[in-house]
Amino acid sequence: MRYNRNEAFRFAFKEPLHARFSIYEVNGKAVETTEGGIQLLDISPSGTKAYSELNIPFKETNPVKIVMHFQLNEESYHFKGKIVWKKVWSDGFMYGVSFLINEDMQQEIVKQLKLYVKNVKN
């Protein structure tokens, strides 16, 4: 997999990557929710497309903020993000999540995706 810093890319998983999430901010106010299940369909250094049967609130003007927990290769990640779009899909909902992470973590995603692709081919 080649990565050009000036071009966005997405890696689509053949099998969705299982993750957990909880909501930590709604309408600019801190909240605490129990964790729910979510499936990562694709991932990029800046975000993910995900599916869940849970109906997460969505407001374009004041995005709901979540924290996602997932494992890629042998590494566990806990990324904060905001929901930037939502669509009804199948028996649930598809979400676009923009990660709220720094460039070092974005580079870590690229590194782990390269390793993932290498391991999947073997």
Side-chain angles (χ1 to χ4, degrees):
M1 170 176 45
R2 291 180 43 206
Y3 174 62
N4 181 335
R5 291 175 62 93
N6 298 323
E7 295 177 9
F9 77 92
R10 291 203 161 268
F11 177 80
F13 296 104
K14 287 184 182 177
E15 293 292 323
L17 189 65
H18 301 288
R20 308 286 301 158
F21 80 96
S22 59
I23 299 171
Y24 73 89
E25 187 178 301
V26 176
N27 293 325
K29 295 181 181 167
V31 297
E32 288 185 34
T33 66
T34 57
E35 285 192 340
I38 197 163
Q39 308 292 316
L40 307 186
L41 305 176
D42 69 27
I43 194 168
S44 77
S46 61
T48 185
K49 178 169 56 175
Y51 168 81
S52 180
E53 292 178 351
L54 299 172
N55 188 358
I56 305 169
F58 173 71
K59 271 192 175 176
E60 196 168 328
T61 56
N62 199 356
V64 169
K65 294 182 181 173
I66 63 174
V67 61
M68 300 177 77
H69 309 281
F70 61 93
Q71 187 168 340
L72 186 57
N73 303 314
E74 300 299 318
E75 300 294 324
S76 294
Y77 293 97
H78 309 279
F79 288 167
K80 289 184 175 182
K82 61 183 178 180
I83 298 176
V84 294
W85 58 263
K86 173 182 177 180
K87 295 178 183 173
V88 175
W89 192 64
S90 187
D91 292 334
F93 302 87
M94 186 97 62
Y95 299 97
V97 179
S98 177
F99 293 142
L100 302 172
I101 59 175
N102 62 31
E103 190 169 329
D104 289 342
M105 288 310 302
Q106 290 178 356
Q107 293 302 316
E108 176 66 15
I109 291 173
V110 172
K111 176 182 152 190
Q112 290 300 323
L113 286 174
K114 287 178 180 179
L115 183 60
Y116 181 85
V117 168
K118 182 178 177 182
N119 290 337
V120 168
K121 289 182 178 179
N122 292 336

